[in-house]
Amino acid sequence: MLFKTDYPRLPFAALAIAAGTMAVHAQAADAPFPGKPIRIVIGFSAGSVVDVSARIIGQKLVESWKQQVVIDNRPSAGGIVAAQIVAGANPDGYTLLSVSASHAIAPAMYSKLPYDTQRDFSGITTTVNVPSLLVVSSSLGVKTVKDLIAMGKAKPGQLLFSSGGIGSSTQFVAEIFNNMAGITATHVPFKGIPEALGDVVAGRVNYTISPVANSVPLAKEGKVVVLGVTSAKRIPPLPNVPTIAEAGVPGFAYGTWFGLLAPAKTPRPIVKQLNTEITRILNLPDVRERWSSLGGEAVPISAEQFDQYVAEQIALFTKIARAANIKAD
């Protein structure tokens, strides 16, 4: 017998409830997206670039979709806690994760994570790419990238460079620079970028690679010397500062990227809708101008391209971590 027909008989009331429940689920499945508030979880504190990026997009989503967007900051463990929350969230498009390059750094740093960085997430799009600046202490007496490289080669392992913490994107970009420049230096980690810059200002650390927004005010006050920008081209806020590639390390180019993810198994039509709307937002003149003033560039891509990019970045950071012996466990 292909079909079983002798189901247990249910009271009429129970049948009515069951039918009502099925109807509600059917309506929910057919309901237009978005039909309720969207939550964007962020693994870093308010004011960080990954937070600012989410807030800019969130504000525009409120304007266009007329739905509340809740920014949920969960600053802990370099974004791992926030990622775990979103990985386990209902894959309906209403819980998103705002990430930076640190999302791809984590699997290069930790042998075990409470989620799979690729399998448990679905890319929506990259949002912005923000270059950093190579800055040195004013007391070091270095004026160019080539000067710093010459000093590093003359004193292997003696130069000190700071970062926003072990496994931070600032450490990894500095390690890429050191590797391509052919120098070895000693890493001095701090709990954040302001602290890392503070020791460069004080002359206790020789150099660091820091976001534009953090470095420019100090450079204008003469507290640090800017040697180069990490991007492939010069940036509007500092048109006279050469790229690191121009200044002595051919081929060097790296900007810290940011993006949005959804839980894996989020329906592709919803992912597509999110991608389309956020791409529109990132291309708005006022949004592009806001990032340009900070040296950044809005860089929306397709969801599929973002998934592939994350995979490529994991491979890159894993290679760097092994070469520089960077690990957290």
Side-chain angles (χ1 to χ4, degrees):
M1 179 179 291
L2 295 177
F3 300 98
K4 184 176 180 180
T5 57
D6 55 340
Y7 294 114
R9 296 178 179 273
L10 296 175
F12 178 79
L15 286 170
I17 292 172
T21 301
M22 292 173 63
V24 169
H25 285 304
Q27 291 174 0
D30 295 334
F33 177 87
K36 62 181 182 180
I38 295 171
R39 178 171 65 141
I40 303 179
V41 184
I42 305 165
F44 300 89
S45 58
S48 60
V49 178
V50 67
D51 170 81
V52 172
S53 174
R55 290 178 188 273
I56 291 173
I57 292 169
Q59 178 184 354
K60 295 294 185 179
L61 286 176
V62 171
E63 294 172 3
S64 59
W65 281 351
K66 311 303 179 186
Q67 288 290 344
Q68 183 182 9
V69 175
V70 178
I71 302 298
D72 185 2
N73 294 93
R74 300 294 184 96
S76 181
I80 293 174
V81 171
Q84 184 178 9
I85 291 171
V86 176
N90 188 15
D92 56 6
Y94 290 100
T95 303
L96 308 178
L97 179 66
S98 182
V99 297
S100 67
S102 62
H103 182 70
I105 288 174
M109 293 283 297
Y110 297 91
S111 57
K112 291 184 179 180
L113 289 170
Y115 54 82
D116 186 290
T117 309
Q118 293 177 256
R119 189 175 60 242
D120 291 340
F121 299 95
S122 173
I124 296 175
T125 182
T126 46
T127 53
V128 64
N129 189 293
V130 180
S132 294
L133 301 175
L134 172 59
V135 300
V136 299
S137 171
S138 298
S139 63
L140 190 62
V142 166
K143 301 299 182 183
T144 68
V145 171
K146 288 183 178 179
D147 288 343
L148 180 64
I149 294 173
M151 184 176 290
K153 290 183 176 179
K155 302 177 179 180
Q158 294 183 42
L159 288 184
L160 306 178
F161 74 95
S162 60
S163 78
I166 296 175
S168 64
S169 60
T170 50
Q171 180 192 3
F172 272 79
V173 177
E175 295 287 6
I176 295 173
F177 167 76
N178 293 341
N179 181 272
M180 293 185 67
I183 63 175
T184 57
T186 300
H187 178 223
V188 183
F190 288 86
K191 67 178 182 179
I193 290 168
E195 294 81 4
L197 272 170
D199 263 36
V200 174
V201 171
R204 290 187 290 269
V205 172
N206 303 124
Y207 67 99
T208 190
I209 288 184
S210 171
V212 174
N214 298 87
S215 307
V216 169
L218 295 174
K220 288 182 177 179
E221 294 172 12
K223 294 181 177 179
V224 297
V225 177
V226 178
L227 301 185
V229 60
T230 64
S231 54
K233 57 185 179 181
R234 299 190 184 197
I235 59 176
L238 298 169
N240 295 324
V241 174
T243 67
I244 292 175
E246 289 177 320
V249 187
F252 182 94
Y254 193 88
T256 300
W257 54 268
F258 301 85
L260 285 170
L261 301 169
K265 299 183 180 179
T266 298
R268 297 314 293 178
I270 290 178
V271 170
K272 176 63 176 176
Q273 187 175 345
L274 284 163
N275 176 276
T276 299
E277 180 58 20
I278 292 169
T279 296
R280 183 192 70 81
I281 289 170
L282 291 170
N283 282 317
L284 291 173
D286 62 323
V287 173
R288 299 192 73 86
E289 174 56 31
R290 183 166 181 180
W291 285 118
S292 179
S293 68
L294 296 173
E297 181 180 11
V299 286
I301 58 177
S302 72
E304 294 75 17
Q305 287 173 322
F306 191 20
D307 286 334
Q308 180 60 36
Y309 186 63
V310 169
E312 293 170 356
Q313 289 288 285
I314 291 173
L316 170 64
F317 290 133
T318 299
K319 181 179 179 180
I320 295 168
R322 288 174 179 169
N325 194 30
I326 309 171
K327 53 187 176 182
D329 57 6

